[in-house]
Amino acid sequence: MSISKKLHARSESKCELCASDEDLIVYEVPPTSKGNEDDSILACSNCIHQIENPDAMIVNHWRCLNDSMWSEITAVQVVAWRMLTRLKAEGWPQDLLDMLYLDEESLEWAKATGEGVEEDEHKIVHRDVNGVVLQAGDSVVLIKDLKVKGSSLIAKQGTAVRRISLDRDNAEYIEGKVGPTQIVIITKYVKKI
């Protein structure tokens, strides 16, 4: 029986990542050496295109990993780990990564393509007033009243700002919504909830 037939039988002819049943292709999880069904997954062309082209990633498409990361197939777990690692700045993938367990050998396979290798020491790290590291998607509370430049709005102490985003260039700035207004906030005036 061919690898394709074995993968179709294993996956019930559905993408092992997003469960789509259209345009399915055998994807050998790099770096592959054996070229057998244990080193491959059955995936749709949409998933494969995004795996191979990080610039084409559609973040919400990968919410499917919430289910597929629990697969018993190691190759599926490895691809799920790689995609969650690639997306962890979004906030929700980090929560899934914290739950996903890979044994040492599988984790080594997952990291073999360079995914998840820590960036250099010049990486910008955002910290709140207490020195706690802030991630995109975190919730913070304001520790003092802040005037919002360009408006008459005053963001009051104790206001919760949910699902913050981080400034890529400056560790002192985060963004979030206070009421309907998206504002830039200095990290020394917030505390992570």
Side-chain angles (χ1 to χ4, degrees):
M1 189 175 345
S2 73
I3 292 175
S4 178
K5 286 182 181 176
K6 289 177 182 178
L7 292 178
H8 274 276
R10 177 177 88 188
S11 67
E12 299 174 354
S13 294
K14 291 183 180 168
C15 175
E16 294 184 273
L17 299 171
C18 74
S20 170
D21 58 2
E22 296 179 14
D23 209 7
L24 300 174
I25 304 165
V26 173
Y27 177 71
E28 292 184 10
V29 181
T32 184
S33 56
K34 300 174 193 118
N36 62 32
E37 70 270 13
D38 293 333
D39 295 339
S40 304
I41 63 171
L42 190 66
C44 67
S45 59
N46 185 17
C47 285
I48 292 173
H49 176 71
Q50 292 184 55
I51 289 168
E52 294 177 344
N53 300 289
D55 295 337
M57 295 215 8
I58 300 168
V59 174
N60 283 331
H61 172 79
W62 294 102
R63 289 189 182 269
C64 62
L65 296 176
N66 193 28
D67 296 324
S68 55
M69 69 183 242
W70 302 109
S71 171
E72 293 179 6
I73 311 302
T74 305
V76 175
Q77 293 172 357
V78 165
V79 173
W81 185 92
R82 287 177 183 170
M83 298 314 292
L84 289 170
T85 300
R86 194 179 290 177
L87 292 166
K88 69 182 176 183
E90 295 297 320
W92 60 266
Q94 184 62 53
D95 295 336
L96 296 180
L97 268 175
D98 291 343
M99 291 187 277
L100 180 59
Y101 171 77
L102 294 180
D103 62 40
E104 203 170 301
E105 187 177 323
S106 300
L107 187 58
E108 190 175 307
W109 179 17
K111 289 182 177 181
T113 58
E115 210 75 58
V117 176
E118 293 305 314
E119 290 85 31
D120 62 277
E121 67 273 359
H122 302 297
K123 180 182 174 193
I124 294 176
V125 178
H126 295 74
R127 297 182 185 275
D128 72 1
V129 68
N130 297 324
V132 176
V133 175
L134 298 171
Q135 300 285 339
D138 283 347
S139 295
V140 296
V141 65
L142 301 179
I143 61 165
K144 80 177 252 179
D145 290 354
L146 300 174
K147 290 182 182 177
V148 178
K149 285 186 180 177
S151 85
S152 60
L153 176 70
I154 295 179
K156 295 289 187 188
Q157 177 179 350
T159 301
V161 181
R162 306 207 183 284
R163 297 190 45 87
I164 63 167
S165 57
L166 309 176
D167 185 304
R168 293 182 181 266
D169 302 320
N170 192 328
E172 292 184 20
Y173 297 144
I174 60 171
E175 290 185 32
K177 281 192 173 185
V178 174
T181 309
Q182 182 82 6
I183 65 170
V184 174
I185 307 165
I186 298 174
T187 55
K188 66 182 178 182
Y189 299 130
V190 300
K191 182 171 72 172
K192 185 173 177 178
I193 305 177

